[in-house]
């Protein structure tokens, strides 16, 4: 199946009454591991990459990699840009053929976030690519980027933000944190208020470390996409670390990387099942 547009993927997710994971990739092995897991579980899902991770493959390279793999799959997948903070990255991803993109204007104040997001939405619209925006800032650590901002989404701003920006998905801050250094504390009362105000489905970032019972509840609050990065990255790195520990002279690269790919696949299957218990 070819890659599908992000809006169509959300329709599949809603029709099947599941939650789509959005799994962060970095390179060939993580891409293959994630997509094999999606195909195994048959749950429509996003595969995504942030500009911070694009250095190895480039935007065109990741599009080609994901497209080639998706052709052999029966489960719908969309390729999403995670945390497009700069318009140059956002535009590069759209032009390269991403099916869904995020513009992250969370560092700006309300009015500036609306202006920045709206400009991105207008650009992506011409390509028919849906946009995820962020209102409120998500705390935590992504690779070497640490954000101390911890500003939960204000439900009173949601309706106006969605209307004025024209975004298709809304990422919210409700006690979710990026990375695994801090324990997330999901405020479901706040999430409920936001869900009532938002005309578009919601996205939860920081899926690593959220308890299974909390993940399971998300679906009831119009959450269609939950981002997971750190747990997959850890499984990949740990697999390579174990290979080195058991034989520091190991030179069989294909065996080591195949095991690393398999560990990403296994972890992704676990997370997809956890999201949809
Ligand atoms: P985790 O690393 O906590 O899973 O967060 C991933 C994420 O939200 C990417 O945008």
């Amino acid at each position: 199946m070819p890659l599908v547009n992000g809006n169509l993927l959300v329709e599949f997710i809603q029709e099947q009454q599941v939650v789509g994971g959005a799994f962060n990739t970095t390179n060939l092995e993580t891409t293959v591991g994630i997509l094999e897991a999606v195909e195994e579980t048959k749950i429509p899902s996003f595969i995504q990459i942030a500009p911070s991770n694009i250095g190895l493959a480039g935007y065109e390279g990741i599009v080609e990699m994901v497209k080639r793999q998706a052709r052999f799959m029966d489960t719908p997948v969309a390729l999403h840009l995670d945390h497009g903070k700069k318009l140059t990255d956002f535009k590069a991803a759209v032009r390269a053929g991403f099916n869904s993109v995020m513009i992250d204007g969370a560092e700006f104040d309300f009015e500036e976030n609306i202006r920045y997001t709206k400009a991105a939405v207008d650009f992506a619209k011409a390509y028919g690519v849906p946009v995820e925006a962020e209102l409120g800032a998500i705390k935590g650590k992504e690779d070497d980027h640490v954000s101390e901002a911890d500003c939960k989404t204000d439900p009173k701003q949601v309706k106006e933000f969605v209307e004025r920006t024209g975004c298709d998905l809304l990422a919210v801050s409700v006690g979710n944190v990026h990375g695994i250094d801090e324990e997330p504390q999901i405020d479901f009362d706040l999430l409920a208020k936001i869900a009532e105000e938002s005309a578009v489905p919601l996205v939860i970032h920081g899926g690593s470390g959220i308890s299974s019972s909390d993940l399971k509840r998300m679906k009831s609050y119009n959450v269609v996409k939950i981002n997971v990065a750190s747990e997959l990255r850890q499984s990949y790195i740990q697999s390579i670390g174990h290979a080195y520990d058991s034989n520091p002279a190991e030179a069989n690269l294909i065996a080591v990387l195949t095991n690393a790919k398999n560990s990403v696949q296994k972890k992704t299957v676990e997370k997809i099942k956890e999201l949809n218990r």
Side-chain angles (χ1 to χ4, degrees), residues 90-266:
F90 181 92
K91 289 180 179 178
V94 171
R95 288 189 176 116
F98 279 54
N99 320 102
S100 173
V101 272
M102 176 182 190
I103 187 74
D104 177 358
E107 69 194 83
F108 301 123
D109 66 25
F110 184 61
E111 280 302 323
E112 184 59 8
N113 190 357
I114 289 180
R115 195 200 59 73
Y116 197 64
T117 301
K118 172 85 171 65
V121 169
D122 288 346
F123 177 85
K125 203 176 271 174
Y127 291 80
V129 176
V131 175
E132 173 185 332
E134 181 169 319
L135 182 61
I138 299 158
K139 205 178 171 189
K141 186 170 174 210
E142 281 197 286
D143 298 318
D144 50 3
H145 176 77
V146 181
S147 169
E148 285 306 328
D150 181 17
C151 158
K152 287 191 182 162
T153 306
D154 179 352
K156 292 196 287 300
Q157 295 181 332
V158 167
K159 192 167 183 289
E160 184 183 348
F161 183 83
V162 170
E163 269 173 19
R164 287 177 59 195
T165 60
C167 67
D168 300 273
L169 291 173
L170 184 67
V172 295
S173 173
V174 292
N176 42 325
V177 290
H178 281 129
I180 37 186
D181 294 345
E182 233 179 294
E183 181 106 349
Q185 301 281 349
I186 306 296
D187 180 343
F188 281 98
D189 290 339
L190 177 59
L191 185 58
K193 284 186 193 132
I194 294 169
E196 249 170 54
E197 294 295 320
S198 177
V200 298
L202 304 180
V203 178
I204 293 288
H205 284 236
S208 299
I210 299 182
S211 70
S212 298
S213 55
D214 280 359
L215 287 175
K216 199 172 83 181
R217 293 176 67 187
M218 297 290 181
K219 206 166 45 183
S220 326
Y221 300 88
N222 204 17
V223 172
V224 296
K225 174 175 181 279
I226 300 183
N227 291 2
V228 181
S230 300
E231 289 187 44
L232 308 190
R233 290 170 182 164
Q234 268 185 331
S235 68
Y236 183 84
I237 293 167
Q238 281 167 7
S239 170
I240 292 173
H242 287 147
Y244 179 79
D245 284 347
S246 58
N247 178 13
E250 181 62 84
N252 188 344
L253 187 61
I254 183 71
V256 171
L257 294 184
T258 301
N259 286 338
K261 182 271 289 178
N262 288 341
S263 66
V264 172
Q265 176 187 8
K266 199 163 154 241

Side-chain angles (χ1 to χ4, degrees), residues 17-28:
Q17 299 182 359
V18 292
V19 176
F23 302 103
N24 285 70
T25 188
T26 301
N27 60 6
L28 178 65

Side-chain angles (χ1 to χ4, degrees), residues 33-62:
I34 289 165
L35 293 178
E36 284 181 355
V38 171
E39 185 65 349
E40 184 181 328
T41 55
K42 301 186 171 54
I43 305 281
S45 306
F46 291 88
I47 182 165
Q48 62 184 11
I49 189 162
S52 58
N53 271 246
I54 207 70
L56 285 174
Y59 289 106
E60 275 81 11
I62 207 81

Side-chain angles (χ1 to χ4, degrees), residues 25-29 31-32 35 56-58 60-70:
T25 188
T26 301
N27 60 6
L28 178 65
E29 299 87 79
T31 298
V32 175
L35 293 178
L56 285 174
E60 275 81 11
I62 207 81
V63 168
E64 287 312 313
M65 231 183 259
V66 174
K67 253 191 196 166
R68 200 193 53 165
Q69 194 74 14

